[in-house]
Amino acid sequence: VWTNLSGADLSGADLSGADLLGANLTGANLTGANLTGANLTGANLTEANLTEANLTRANLTRASLTGVVGADLTNAILE
């Protein structure tokens, strides 16, 4: 897919089940976003704001999480 959402304001967005394989989300605002079950495999989330985002069952395998703010990865897939 390789979507470029660098710097995008996705606060409050419903991205549940979205296929964001390899997406560039560098610096994106995902505050309060619903990412339940989203595929973020290999995504670049460098310096993204994930405060209060729902990452339940989100696949973050090989995702870049450097400098991410506010992420609760408790129920995320990180294998």
Side-chain angles (χ1 to χ4, degrees), residues 15-69:
L15 299 169
S16 55
D19 186 2
L20 296 167
L21 174 73
N24 181 0
L25 291 156
T26 302
N29 180 5
L30 292 156
T31 302
N34 182 3
L35 292 158
T36 302
N39 181 11
L40 292 156
T41 302
N44 185 350
L45 291 153
T46 301
E47 297 183 5
N49 187 341
L50 291 166
T51 303
E52 297 182 15
N54 185 346
L55 294 163
T56 302
R57 296 185 318 277
N59 189 341
L60 293 162
T61 303
R62 295 185 309 278
S64 174
L65 301 171
T66 304
V68 165
V69 176

Side-chain angles (χ1 to χ4, degrees), residues 1-4 19-23:
V1 174
W2 309 109
T3 305
N4 185 2
D19 186 2
L20 296 167
L21 174 73

